[in-house]
Amino acid sequence: MVGEGDRGKAVIVGGSIAGLSCAHALTLAGWNVLVLEKTPSPPTGSPTGAGLGLNSLSQQIIQSWLPHSQQQLLLNTTLPLTIDQNCVTDSERKVHSTLTRDESLNFRAAHWADLHGLLYNALPSDIFLWGHLFLSFHVLHDKGSVIVKAKVLQTGEVVEIQGDLLVAADGCLSSIRQKYLPDFKLRYSGYCAWRGVLDFSKIENSETMTGIRKAYPDLGKCLYFDLASGSHTVLYELHRKRLNWVWLVNQPEPEVKGTSVTMKVNSEMIQKMQEEAEKVLIPEMVKVIKETREPFLNFIYDSDPLEKMVWERVVLVGDAAHPTTPHCVRSTNMSILDAAVLGKCMEKWGLQKLESALEEYELIRLPVTSKQVLHARRLGRLKQGLVLPDREPFDPKLVRPEDHQELLVRNTPFFNDGPLSLGLIPSDCL
């Protein structure tokens, strides 16, 4: 029952990694949770999504959520990313050379579906309402609760769910956020990202794999960035013999249709992309791109940092709270830390002091995520050679070696940590 004893009930909208992370953290804090997700079933085991990087703190947090017998699974389903290396591609000679190399990255590479499956399988299956499309909500001030309406997609039935807290884990296009910030708009970055995952398990000794391993000899432990004119690529290896690649290309803002910033593409678009890649990228990378099945297109958006993440009994987490560009490898890590801090605040204050718990969550997370979003924006514009207010556009073939240090992921604010309690926030963030 809602509000039974001191156990609050949280309704989480969104069954992606941010939502699952909140389910773990709030369950550990003694709360009942219910997760609403519009997709009809969990994507566990499917090829959904692409690669991501987990920093050391996120790794520790995830392992704390798993049963002791499953904690090794995180290491077993990920690969180390100990090196952050930036290269520059000479598009005319079709060769590349190293600009920077940092061997203290301490990340791990995961496939989205593998991490989602790990988190999902460690939760009770009965807390999920799959195939439930969130419609609306309203806060009952007199009863201290929130009512959520959702449509059961299989039957068309509209159901009402009552809880003590609504957690908006519904992504960068959050409809929950829109209720409080009706004029909010995402900011187009100036570039899009072609993405793909190449399964090389059956072509391990092929010319393509021999060539890419020669060009990028530290695959399996290195996060590679390769900068060219007006674009750059990202490359790293995933568990089970897969290569994750991203090609970011400057272009005008596309017309986004529907409710997603990810676009399925047709064969004509793919062929055109491959032809463009041949003009800019080294041949070894082009071969990987050409052999990848079902590449897809991401429109890259972020937003200026929000002034609030909490309203009444509603809290934003993950991309709903801080849409970001991918350059600091932060999106998933920010979602995991949001969840961990939210859980700690709920455990500390309890249901009876929910307002204090949410206030502390916001005080801890807002300064951190704001700095990281703005840093990722700057790094993205730097690597894409776009205009910045305080410097000339970055040209990796012309700048001084000391300027290359700006490219390193480790310069991200709160790179290796993130405060989990109010007492750990540096004074300059308050």
Side-chain angles (χ1 to χ4, degrees), residues 15-17 37 39 41-52 110-117 195-197 238 240 242 244 262 264 294 296:
S16 191
I17 287 173
E37 170 54 47
T39 56
S41 60
T44 310
S46 78
T48 303
L52 55 90
H111 189 277
W112 184 94
D114 292 343
L115 180 59
H116 188 279
R195 303 192 67 174
V197 176
L238 299 172
R240 295 207 307 264
R242 292 169 290 179
N244 181 84
T262 298
K264 289 186 177 180
E294 299 182 0
F296 60 96

Side-chain angles (χ1 to χ4, degrees), residues 213-332:
R213 290 202 180 281
K214 184 177 180 180
Y216 301 92
D218 287 316
L219 279 172
K221 61 180 180 179
C222 185
L223 174 61
Y224 281 105
F225 298 93
D226 212 336
L227 283 64
S229 177
S231 73
H232 74 282
T233 59
V234 184
L235 181 69
Y236 54 93
E237 188 172 341
L238 299 172
H239 178 59
R240 295 207 307 264
K241 301 185 186 304
R242 292 169 290 179
L243 288 183
N244 181 84
W245 60 265
V246 187
W247 183 29
L248 297 111
V249 182
N250 293 343
Q251 67 176 65
E253 182 174 4
E255 183 180 344
V256 178
K257 298 179 180 180
T259 58
S260 176
V261 294
T262 298
M263 177 182 179
K264 289 186 177 180
V265 292
N266 58 39
S267 57
E268 183 179 346
M269 294 172 69
I270 293 173
Q271 182 177 349
K272 185 177 179 181
M273 177 270 290
Q274 293 173 349
E275 290 172 355
E276 290 299 314
E278 288 180 332
K279 300 175 185 176
V280 179
L281 308 180
I282 63 173
E284 294 85 354
M285 178 65 79
V286 174
K287 286 184 178 181
V288 167
I289 290 174
K290 284 187 172 182
E291 294 196 25
T292 300
R293 295 180 58 188
E294 299 182 0
F296 60 96
L297 191 58
N298 253 158
F299 310 126
I300 307 299
Y301 288 86
D302 68 3
S303 76
D304 291 334
L306 303 183
E307 295 181 0
K308 289 176 65 63
M309 297 167 71
V310 169
W311 291 266
E312 303 168 307
R313 291 175 171 264
V314 180
V315 57
L316 305 183
V317 299
D319 289 342
H322 34 70
T324 186
T325 64
H327 302 90
C328 296
V329 203
R330 283 333 281 192
S331 179
T332 300

Side-chain angles (χ1 to χ4, degrees), residues 60-96:
Q60 295 169 32
I61 290 169
I62 291 169
Q63 288 179 317
S64 75
W65 291 338
L66 301 176
H68 184 73
S69 60
Q70 297 181 20
Q71 290 180 357
Q72 189 64 26
L73 288 177
L74 181 63
L75 296 178
N76 292 345
T77 56
T78 59
L79 289 181
L81 286 178
T82 58
I83 304 168
D84 167 19
Q85 183 162 321
N86 284 274
C87 307
V88 56
T89 293
D90 185 324
S91 299
E92 294 180 1
R93 297 170 56 214
K94 295 296 186 296
V95 295
H96 68 171

